[in-house]
Amino acid sequence: MRFVLVLLLAGVIGALSGCAAPPTRQEIDSADYGEQISQADAEAKAKEVFARTLKDPYTAQISFGQLYKGYTLTAPLQGRKASYGYMLDVMVNAKNSYGGYVGAKPYRFMFRNGRLVEGWRISDGGMLIPII
């Protein structure tokens, strides 16, 4: 019985991992990324998020990367559909409740047609943790 359960579980995991294929180069090149947002507007929208979410936003030391085209994929059970837009990588070092800086943490934001549509903190393991 245990063998059958392990075999069934392996089959489910295999089926789900088969759905995890990223878009092809042709799909990426022909995708609609929406209207591009300016670097200054993207940075201002990201700062608004930090003003709402950081414990002490006035102490934040923020470093912005350059905007670039990118995409996200939905979960395997949702069909791994791609969403395209403009990405902004950000490093933030801010004070915690005890008044000490916590060290620079990476964040990523996605913009489409001038709007902030998704935002994540990137964990030490590389996982995207939604913040908006």
Side-chain angles (χ1 to χ4, degrees):
M1 182 66 175
R2 181 177 232 158
F3 176 74
V4 172
L5 184 61
V6 169
L7 193 59
L8 181 63
L9 184 59
V12 169
I13 291 171
L16 290 177
S17 65
C19 299
T24 65
R25 172 56 53 195
Q26 182 180 8
E27 290 171 327
I28 291 171
D29 291 342
S30 64
D32 177 13
Y33 291 85
E35 184 180 321
Q36 185 172 357
I37 188 172
S38 73
Q39 181 79 26
D41 287 346
E43 290 178 9
K45 290 178 186 296
K47 283 181 182 179
E48 289 173 8
V49 171
F50 295 128
R52 291 190 314 263
T53 58
L54 293 176
K55 182 69 81 177
D56 190 356
Y58 302 106
T59 65
Q61 299 169 349
I62 303 173
S63 174
F64 294 100
Q66 292 297 309
L67 280 169
Y68 61 94
K69 288 181 177 179
Y71 65 90
T72 60
L73 296 173
T74 60
L77 294 176
Q78 296 174 320
R80 298 296 277 186
K81 295 177 185 162
S83 296
Y84 298 89
Y86 291 89
M87 303 293 203
L88 178 66
D89 291 334
V90 183
M91 294 296 287
V92 178
N93 189 9
K95 289 185 177 181
N96 60 17
S97 299
Y98 300 106
Y101 280 94
V102 297
K105 303 291 183 197
Y107 291 81
R108 180 169 294 148
F109 296 95
M110 182 174 176
F111 301 88
R112 185 165 172 82
N113 295 324
R115 293 183 49 238
L116 175 59
V117 293
E118 295 185 69
W120 310 269
R121 184 178 67 78
I122 303 172
S123 74
D124 293 337
M127 296 290 297
L128 298 177
I129 302 165
I131 61 171
I132 61 167

